[in-house]
């Protein structure tokens, strides 16, 4: 079942601007992860935030997590044309130890960064 | 180089002709999964494996089989493919018992006519 709802579905910005994508989920989670997918290719892990963390940074990426609202956001600062891709959030339920590492993916946000 | 490989990358076949998509990882990961990705439906898990000889159904297992005889390999078998199995398939593996960060293969685009 899909539990991640991402917003917006598509986002178009100019190079140098910041891009913000949001993700909402329904269950109690162990962690939340963000992945990137270039057109038709495999997903690449970007960043993970645990349920007891509120904010995490990695280079130009900043992720926040609000477990009370069951939501997360991914901020890409100073975007580049090469950031053009689809971005997915994925949640790992608290019962993940018995689920073979199952992640539940959102539908993704398509980001287009124009030069 | 740490990676997950899948073969073939592209496959066009006909209804009912058995096929196997191979998946192999060189990271000694315990956990492996198969997903399918369809427009508007996102990624859905087909089967997963927690270790050798341990497999279980994901969200959309109908029409698929898997096996895990070796830790590195996790083939996906379609015994009698049908057009509704036309999709983009991804194999993934993960190791950590605390984070489950997943490493994805490059994908196999399957068309069943």
């Amino acid at each position: 079942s899909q539990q991640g709802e991402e917003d917006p579905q598509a986002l178009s910005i100019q190079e140098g601007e910041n891009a913000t994508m949001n993700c909402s989920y329904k269950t109690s989670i162990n962690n939340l992860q963000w992945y990137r997918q270039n057109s038709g290719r495999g997903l690449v892990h970007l960043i993970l935030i645990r349920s007891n963390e509120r904010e995490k940074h990695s280079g130009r990426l900043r992720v926040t997590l609000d477990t009370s609202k069951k939501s997360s956001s991914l901020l890409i600062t100073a975007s580049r044309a090469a950031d053009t891709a689809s971005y997915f959030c994925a949640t790992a339920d608290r019962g993940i130890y018995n689920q073979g590492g199952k992640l539940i993916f959102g539908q993704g946000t398509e980001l287009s960064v124009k030069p | 180089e740490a990676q997950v490989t899948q073969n073939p990358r592209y496959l066009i076949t006909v209804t009912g002709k058995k096929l196997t998509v191979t998946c192999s990882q060189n990271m000694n990961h315990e956990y492996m999964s198969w997903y399918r990705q369809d427009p508007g439906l996102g990624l859905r898990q087909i089967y997963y494996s927690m270790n050798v000889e341990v497999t279980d159904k994901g969200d959309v297992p109908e029409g698929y089989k898997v096996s895990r005889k070796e830790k590195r390999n996790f083939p996906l078998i379609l015994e009698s493919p049908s057009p509704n199995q036309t999709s983009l398939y991804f194999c993934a593996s993960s190791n950590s018992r605390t984070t489950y960060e997943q490493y994805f293969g490059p994908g196999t685009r399957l068309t069943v006519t």
Side-chain angles (χ1 to χ4, degrees):
Chain A
S1 61
Q2 297 293 322
Q3 80 156 337
E5 298 281 338
E6 291 177 73
D7 170 52
Q9 290 188 336
L11 179 61
S12 182
I13 59 174
Q14 295 293 134
E15 221 170 16
E17 294 180 340
N18 295 342
T20 299
M21 290 159 266
N22 303 297
C23 169
S24 61
Y25 58 92
K26 297 174 184 171
T27 63
S28 294
I29 61 170
N30 177 289
N31 65 67
L32 185 144
Q33 306 178 30
W34 286 90
Y35 288 79
R36 165 193 168 126
Q37 183 182 32
N38 288 83
S39 181
R41 299 195 172 206
L43 281 74
V44 175
H45 181 267
L46 293 176
I47 194 166
L48 178 148
I49 186 164
R50 299 176 190 270
S51 59
N52 61 354
E53 296 175 314
R54 292 296 166 258
E55 188 170 313
K56 203 160 182 181
H57 297 254
S58 176
R60 293 184 296 114
L61 305 180
R62 174 180 161 239
V63 170
T64 61
L65 179 65
D66 186 337
T67 52
S68 67
K69 295 181 179 177
K70 290 187 165 58
S71 68
S72 173
S73 67
L74 171 68
L75 168 68
I76 304 174
T77 60
S79 63
R80 306 165 182 167
D83 293 329
T84 295
S86 292
Y87 292 82
F88 294 86
C89 69
T91 52
D93 282 358
R94 286 204 179 277
I96 193 168
Y97 301 109
N98 299 319
Q99 296 176 21
K102 178 177 178 177
L103 295 179
I104 300 176
F105 286 84
Q107 303 253 355
T109 293
E110 283 191 34
L111 174 65
S112 174
V113 182
K114 299 188 188 322
Chain B
E1 179 191 353
Q3 61 182 347
V4 178
T5 57
Q6 293 179 229
N7 282 293
R9 295 288 314 282
Y10 303 90
L11 180 60
I12 300 173
T13 189
V14 296
T15 298
K17 186 176 180 182
K18 181 180 178 180
L19 67 92
T20 299
V21 184
T22 64
C23 172
S24 183
Q25 50 93 4
N26 62 0
M27 295 169 278
N28 201 35
H29 285 170
E30 290 180 340
Y31 303 92
M32 299 185 75
S33 295
W34 276 103
Y35 296 88
R36 61 178 289 174
Q37 185 177 29
D38 302 287
L41 297 175
L43 278 95
R44 295 177 291 169
Q45 191 184 54
I46 303 170
Y47 267 95
Y48 64 90
S49 170
M50 295 173 75
N51 213 326
V52 176
E53 302 292 2
V54 182
T55 63
D56 209 344
K57 297 177 182 178
D59 297 318
V60 287
E62 293 77 21
Y64 304 95
K65 283 175 56 177
V66 293
S67 68
R68 188 92 182 271
K69 293 184 170 55
E70 305 165 281
K71 199 171 187 179
R72 63 184 293 127
N73 296 323
F74 190 44
L76 179 69
I77 302 156
L78 284 73
E79 294 269 2
S80 183
S82 62
N84 65 11
Q85 292 178 299
T86 292
S87 187
L88 181 57
Y89 292 87
F90 290 103
C91 179
S93 71
S94 63
N95 189 30
S96 172
R97 288 181 178 273
T98 58
T99 64
Y100 292 88
E101 169 189 336
Q102 303 220 348
Y103 293 79
F104 281 80
T108 294
R109 188 167 292 280
L110 172 66
T111 302
V112 184
T113 60

